[in-house]
Amino acid sequence: MAERSLTLMAVHAHPDDEATSTGGVLARYAAEGITTVLVTCTDGRCGDGPGGVKPGEPGHDPQAVVAMRRAELAASCEALKVTHLETLDYADSGMMGWATNDAPHAFWNTPVPEAAERLADLIRRYRPDVVVTYDENGFYGHPDHIQAHRITMAAVELAGSPAKVYWTTVPRGAFEEFGRVMKEIGVEFPEPDESADMPTLGLPDEEITTWVDTRGYGGQKFESLAAHASQAENIFFLQLGQDRFTELMGMETFVRVRDTTGAPTPEDDLFAGLR
């Protein structure tokens, strides 16, 4: 009987989220023969429509946006050579405080145990060795990212999975460098609103446990992000061009929060201790 392939499962909130923080690892590990599973929790209906029309504006058709973003997600997965795409198809909740947070089928409005059991079924089916999702703040406070974190942590326990679990993060120093480069090429990068009740983004370098070099897959990661063309207005990274993008976004960083291998940290491989 053939030996089972090592498996990576990435759990993301919306179509396009897979590209930015995990596009490199999805591409790299697929190229190394590891099975990659992407779980996308929402349908992305609160994204921009054709021509950049915003939710609630005339001409924004949520169902048309869903269909468009589903096709873009498929193209992104092809670029990254994702082995399996699973979509939970909850309604996109929109940004925190939007009326869409309370819609009947909104992901944010879904009981955690209900959604976690659906994800646990996928964990039982695919038996991932590594699971990646967001931290408890959803990295920047988006309700669907927070909910993805909640259901993932619950699902791992429900499934009795021995998987290593990681949360995506960014070294704080990288924000300063990114802002400098964006200004250098003439792109306005929005400054954080210090008066807003937002979690602090990223972590100090010394708190990051895992640094994965994915620069060799920068072209695939850029292609994956570019596949989500309907959201280009919100994807500042595309304005960098592929070479600069790879230079700045070629190291993907994580915090290991669950481990059964005893592999020492810092590590340079999500599968350290497993191969």
Side-chain angles (χ1 to χ4, degrees), residues 30-49:
E32 292 179 3
I34 288 172
T35 298
T36 55
V37 182
L38 170 62
V39 180
T40 302
C41 296
T42 79
D43 57 13
R45 67 178 57 219
C46 290
D48 290 354

Side-chain angles (χ1 to χ4, degrees), residues 53-109:
V53 62
K54 306 298 181 187
E57 292 181 350
H60 188 280
D61 178 347
Q63 290 305 322
V65 172
V66 168
M68 176 175 63
R69 298 196 73 182
R70 176 65 65 88
E72 290 176 340
L73 180 59
S76 169
C77 287
E78 175 58 31
L80 299 174
K81 305 305 178 190
V82 168
T83 316
H84 302 285
L85 169 64
E86 297 284 350
T87 53
L88 299 185
D89 286 330
Y90 290 105
D92 185 345
S93 310
M95 300 299 287
M96 191 69 81
W98 288 13
T100 46
N101 293 175
D102 300 318
H105 301 292
F107 188 38
W108 181 242
N109 203 28

Side-chain angles (χ1 to χ4, degrees), residues 4 15 25 52 69 87 121 131 137 168 175 177-178 194 214 222 225 233 249 254 264 267:
R4 186 181 74 87
V25 292
R69 298 196 73 182
T87 53
D121 283 343
V131 175
N137 292 315
T168 59
F175 288 108
E177 174 65 7
F178 181 70
E194 295 184 0
T214 65
F222 189 84
L225 200 60
E233 181 181 326
M249 306 288 289
F254 307 87
E267 58 188 5

